[in-house]
Amino acid sequence: MILTASERRRAIAGGAFGLAGIALFIGLAIVTLLSAGIVSTGGNPLTDPYLLRVLRFTLLQATLSTLLSVVLAIPVARALARQPRFPGRLWLIRLMAVPMGLPVLIGALGLLGIWGRQGIFNQALTGLGLSQPVSIYGLTGILLAHVFFNLPLAARLMLAGLERVPAEYWLMAGGLGMRPTSVFRFIEWPMLRGLIPGISGLIFMLCATSFTLVLILGGGPAATTLEVAIYQALRFDFDPGRAVALSLLQIIVTAAILAAMALLPAPDDHGLTAGRAVRRIDGALPGAKLIDSALLLLATLFVGLPLASVVITGLKADLLRLVGQTIFLQAILTSLSIALGAGMLAILASFAIIRARSVISAERRKAPGLRGLAIALSGTSSLVLLVPPIVLATGWFLALRLFGDPTRFAALLIIVINALMALPFVIRVIEPAYAVHRRRTERLAASLGLQGLSRLHLIDWPGLRKPFFTALSFAMALSLGDLGAVALFGSDSLMTLPWLVYSKLGSYRTNDADGLAFILGLVCLLLTIAGTAGQGGHEDEGRRNDR
């Protein structure tokens, strides 16, 4: 990397400053929890029957959710891989990306519209004469919701793995006349077997730290996870001791999951390929086509119906009345302000970390201090994932009580917490683009003698503008749909759009909640479109240039 000594120092100092800020924010919350826990509880939380019951349910629902999501994703991914010409296949793959970027609250309302007591599914069962329709509340609803959000994620990751299988494998399978069961046993399963541990670990982590879905669909004390129990201990019971014990237990569970994920084996490399077009003969058999088509149709209905329900019920609401209300204007302005602040903070912290890591990795002789800083910067994402938002909010809630009403600092806290939660995703978007940009422009910038603001204005900003906007829109969408951090601090004086939707739902004004959820989803969709505008054309242009 061609940088002057002062530029290297500034880059490393920026990364160290960002890391120190993150560590300080998380560390103070943990120290507060530890201190408060010793004073308030004075006992071993592992002997508390309530905590043990909550822990058991958290692990049980996460295990079952992971198992169902992964097992059901295998045939869906296989069907997508075997049927490259299935009508609407591309749109189905795009549809499966929607739950990953959809605010959880909106997905929960969509599921209620289909699987709730007045939903389409239960009405159909009632029409068939069944007196006890399926209940979406409790463990059943939580599992259903987790599968709705995680099955598409698992299927897309498995599909990407299956599409990496060299074309020569399929050519050989066709030449040997292998039946579908043999293809699965000797080609597909070895690939999937390498992917499943990582996918399962990711989904288990998401389900074990699930908050909004359990808050809405949980069936009371019998169906409560650690995060929801923390919220209930502070918000309803105002029992800081129990909240602290639950928070520490949540950190231990999260740390154990992250440690287990770090030990998972990396997927196998299936070797080199001549780059031939993939032709799968096993999917051309009539029986395989019929089964795959049925599976893909079911997957489309499972993912698409709740989303369609959100749109339909949202349009039925009196949207003009809702958007004209003062509380809506207050909520949307607050949400957008918090989202913009969180997005900008996430971008600044991510860029400082990425730039410092890039400079340190380019150093030929690294001092021990630099090596330690590089390791710490690489672990930033794990550090952020280690402490869930509700735990951070609990720690700071207790810390700020010493200075009066904690809700006075609520907006600032939510901005920082949302920025931290977006950090891993923002780094994932910006880092590859930054690496390519540096390789392409560093010699030009050095030859022109450009540094500092002139370099930022003339070279870096034009080259990194699009990934920055993409990351910003993604971070803002995450913040807009967040209910975790605001759950502790939400009030009439700090009303965000998700909190308003949840309040309407809690007061049984479901029609208003549906309309507001539709508007929230529309805002997130517009943000995503704005953040990715022009990328398709850019990619097409890149492909043309490659040719």
Side-chain angles (χ1 to χ4, degrees), residues 27 42 45 139 150 215 361 366 407 420 466 479 490 495 499:
L139 179 61
N150 296 313
L215 182 65
S361 66
K366 298 182 183 69
T407 57
L420 288 180
K466 284 185 178 176
S479 177
M495 182 67 71
W499 185 248

Side-chain angles (χ1 to χ4, degrees), residues 381-535:
S381 298
S382 298
L383 181 65
V384 169
L385 292 174
L386 177 65
V387 191
I390 193 72
V391 177
L392 277 176
T394 304
W396 278 97
F397 179 88
L398 297 175
L400 293 174
R401 276 201 311 159
L402 301 174
F403 304 97
D405 185 5
T407 57
R408 288 186 300 155
F409 310 95
L412 182 60
L413 280 178
I414 294 172
I415 287 174
V416 179
I417 291 173
N418 284 350
L420 288 180
M421 294 306 109
L423 202 64
F425 305 100
V426 172
I427 289 177
R428 184 68 65 88
V429 173
I430 294 179
E431 191 159 31
Y434 179 75
V436 173
H437 172 75
R438 297 294 303 189
R439 283 199 301 272
R440 290 178 177 173
T441 62
E442 62 182 358
R443 291 186 181 280
L444 173 65
S447 65
L448 295 175
L450 292 174
Q451 297 181 27
L453 291 177
S454 53
R455 173 176 178 144
L456 177 67
H457 173 64
L458 295 173
I459 293 185
D460 290 338
W461 176 244
L464 295 173
R465 184 174 50 201
K466 284 185 178 176
F468 271 30
F469 277 127
T470 301
L472 178 64
S473 68
F474 195 68
M476 286 184 66
L478 279 177
S479 177
L480 269 174
D482 175 69
L483 187 63
V486 78
L488 281 182
F489 300 105
S491 62
D492 291 340
S493 59
L494 183 71
M495 182 67 71
T496 64
L497 204 46
W499 185 248
L500 181 59
V501 174
Y502 181 67
S503 302
K504 297 287 185 185
L505 202 60
S507 57
Y508 300 101
R509 301 180 71 174
T510 52
N511 196 30
D512 287 355
D514 290 336
L516 292 169
F518 173 71
I519 295 171
L520 176 59
L522 201 59
V523 173
C524 291
L525 178 64
L526 291 175
L527 270 175
T528 305
I529 293 173
T532 56
Q535 290 194 359

